[in-house]
Amino acid sequence: KASSVLLALPSPPIVFVGENVPAAVRPEVQPEVQRAFELFDAAGYEVVWGILESDLHGVPQARTRLYYVAIKRGLDIVCDLPARIASL
């Protein structure tokens, strides 16, 4: 999994941005996503996420996507995603 590889790097990034299909947060799939977020948390990252309509945020595709941002704790970086405007 990408999160496991990321956290094993010799110099982990300060910020990581990822995206996935919105179905990733449905109950039958959600435990895997939750586990990835827990790995980020254990490695010292704060995770924020949202389900967004990509085309409303500068992406040239009309897609609903799950976006997440993991930021290394202890830094003066704040990430506020737009409201979760898409419905599952």
Side-chain angles (χ1 to χ4, degrees), residues 26-56:
R26 290 198 332 219
E28 62 271 17
V29 182
Q30 194 271 340
E32 293 178 24
V33 173
Q34 183 62 38
R35 178 68 181 133
F37 290 171
E38 289 170 358
L39 288 172
F40 279 117
D41 181 60
Y45 288 84
E46 184 74 30
V47 178
V48 295
W49 63 274
I51 305 289
L52 306 173
E53 299 291 346
S54 298
D55 59 327
L56 299 178

Side-chain angles (χ1 to χ4, degrees), residues 1 9 12 15 27 30-31 38 40 43 58-60 63 69-70 73 78 82 84:
K1 301 210 179 217
L9 293 172
V15 176
Q30 194 271 340
E38 289 170 358
F40 279 117
V59 177
R63 290 180 157 198
V69 180
R73 281 194 198 90
V78 177
R84 295 180 179 117

Side-chain angles (χ1 to χ4, degrees), residues 63-84:
R63 290 180 157 198
T64 301
R65 304 297 286 175
L66 162 66
Y67 288 94
Y68 54 97
V69 180
I71 302 170
K72 196 74 170 161
R73 281 194 198 90
L75 304 173
D76 193 20
I77 300 174
V78 177
C79 177
D80 292 321
L81 290 179
R84 295 180 179 117

